[in-house]
Amino acid sequence: MENIKELLPQILMGLLVIIFWFIIRGILKSISAKMNNNELYKEDMLNVLEEIRDELKELNKNNLVK
């Protein structure tokens, strides 16, 4: 019983470190996911803008021919 009482602060400190690690890990994963989503959004937006540019070029060529 006394051994448990002596080890209790060390066990609690270990649990605190583990909890702190999971919290930091969750925050970093969330930030990473947001950055990845932001990059995908930029790529999608760039593709849409390129398609619009190509369509405008084609419309411009058609108007010049007429």
Side-chain angles (χ1 to χ4, degrees):
M1 195 68 162
E2 286 184 24
N3 285 338
I4 293 174
K5 286 183 180 179
E6 291 175 9
L7 293 177
L8 191 61
Q10 293 173 350
I11 292 171
L12 290 176
M13 185 58 85
L15 288 174
L16 185 65
V17 168
I18 291 170
I19 291 170
F20 183 72
W21 168 252
F22 278 111
I23 290 172
I24 296 297
R25 186 172 167 236
I27 291 170
L28 291 177
K29 277 188 174 184
S30 174
I31 292 171
S32 176
K34 285 185 180 186
M35 289 174 63
N36 288 339
N37 287 341
N38 191 22
E39 290 296 320
L40 292 175
Y41 176 76
K42 283 181 184 178
E43 289 176 14
D44 289 343
M45 185 60 70
L46 183 60
N47 289 337
V48 168
L49 290 173
E50 287 175 353
E51 289 176 15
I52 292 171
R53 181 196 65 202
D54 294 340
E55 289 179 18
L56 287 173
K57 281 183 180 179
E58 191 171 319
L59 286 172
N60 193 21
K61 284 181 186 177
N62 291 340
N63 286 337
L64 288 176
V65 170
K66 288 181 182 179

